[in-house]
Amino acid sequence: MKTIFCLVLAVLLIGCTPQPAPNEEFVTIGFIGCSNTRETVEGYHHVGGIKIWDAQRRYGSGTVLDWSKNPENSIYWDTFDTLLKKYPKTKIIWWQLCIMDGDRATSKEHADIVFNEIYKRIPDAVIYVSALADYTDGVCSITGTWGLEKSKQLSIELSTDGVLPGPVLGPMSAIETAEDNCHLSSPDGKRVLGLQMKAFFDDGFQKPNEAATENESTAVKENNSTQQIEEAV
């Protein structure tokens, strides 16, 4: 009975215990997004992730349109710059494309403004983009179904510009969704999406050049094998 109580308590603490800031020696991944993005990063750290910036409440709202507005005088970019200064080894940026139902003007042109701001700060940045997570039950009133679909559409559109596909998050079940039907529940939602993030960026993660090298090596091996088979025949 005592053991069960301790396990339950440990799970509950995932949602309410403040986590220490990541060790700057290991942090190489920054992020851009909204409150759902921040909550996902919170979950990532709770389950042992070590490579991504610490979560920031000042990223609240944080839609594609918000990040593209007045970059020179923006709380979002001010926060980004503070974290980049804190973690100078950052070379990778994960961007979750948050889009509200009312943001019907959102386009690739707005995304390009954000990319330009990233490259100003990190010229050789590698950028991963993810769409918002789907829900298995109900509709988030903030994004509506339109915001979710536009997020997916834009993530595909941006992949033609050398941007890499990031982790596919969700879908979020009812137990993993907060009472507002939009945000991540604590601890379940944060834990599930946090584990998805950790699986992508920490567990077996390969940098793009490493992945390309491995693919080339695999292609060479396959070609050699084909030649050997042909010679044997």
Side-chain angles (χ1 to χ4, degrees), residues 3-67:
T3 301
I4 295 174
F5 173 77
C6 290
L7 288 172
V8 172
L9 180 61
V11 171
L12 290 174
L13 286 174
I14 290 177
C16 58
T17 304
Q19 296 295 295
N23 187 328
E24 64 182 53
E25 289 298 313
F26 303 111
V27 177
T28 57
I29 305 172
F31 71 96
I32 288 176
C34 57
S35 52
N36 278 37
T37 315
R38 182 250 303 162
E39 291 175 347
T40 301
V41 172
E42 286 177 359
Y44 163 86
H45 286 296
H46 280 303
V47 297
I50 62 173
K51 295 182 178 180
I52 299 179
W53 291 351
D54 40 305
Q56 275 293 331
R57 284 196 169 275
R58 286 176 290 178
Y59 273 15
S61 294
T63 64
V64 173
L65 289 183
D66 288 325
W67 280 91

Side-chain angles (χ1 to χ4, degrees), residues 5-159:
F5 173 77
C6 290
L7 288 172
V8 172
L9 180 61
V11 171
L12 290 174
L13 286 174
I14 290 177
C16 58
T17 304
Q19 296 295 295
N23 187 328
E24 64 182 53
E25 289 298 313
F26 303 111
V27 177
T28 57
I29 305 172
F31 71 96
I32 288 176
C34 57
S35 52
N36 278 37
T37 315
R38 182 250 303 162
E39 291 175 347
T40 301
V41 172
E42 286 177 359
Y44 163 86
H45 286 296
H46 280 303
V47 297
I50 62 173
K51 295 182 178 180
I52 299 179
W53 291 351
D54 40 305
Q56 275 293 331
R57 284 196 169 275
R58 286 176 290 178
Y59 273 15
S61 294
T63 64
V64 173
L65 289 183
D66 288 325
W67 280 91
S68 68
K69 291 177 183 175
N70 303 318
E72 298 80 13
N73 185 26
S74 164
I75 186 174
Y76 300 107
W77 288 110
D78 287 347
T79 304
F80 183 98
D81 291 340
T82 298
L83 289 167
L84 181 58
K85 184 177 181 180
K86 182 178 181 180
Y87 301 112
K89 294 184 179 181
T90 302
K91 293 297 180 184
I92 296 170
I93 297 297
W94 172 59
W95 183 14
Q96 185 174 40
L97 303 171
C98 302
I99 302 174
M100 293 185 181
D101 187 53
D103 292 347
R104 302 296 173 112
T106 303
S107 67
K108 184 177 178 296
E109 284 68 32
H110 297 107
D112 287 339
I113 293 172
V114 178
F115 288 142
N116 288 337
E117 293 300 319
I118 293 173
Y119 290 129
K120 280 181 187 177
R121 294 160 169 81
I122 313 172
D124 56 348
V126 176
I127 303 173
Y128 289 83
V129 296
S130 295
L132 288 164
D134 277 325
Y135 303 90
T136 61
D137 299 271
V139 177
C140 168
S141 60
I142 298 174
T143 63
T145 55
W146 184 88
L148 296 180
E149 292 305 314
K150 181 64 177 180
S151 179
K152 294 174 191 174
Q153 176 192 330
L154 187 57
S155 68
I156 295 171
E157 188 176 357
L158 296 178
S159 66

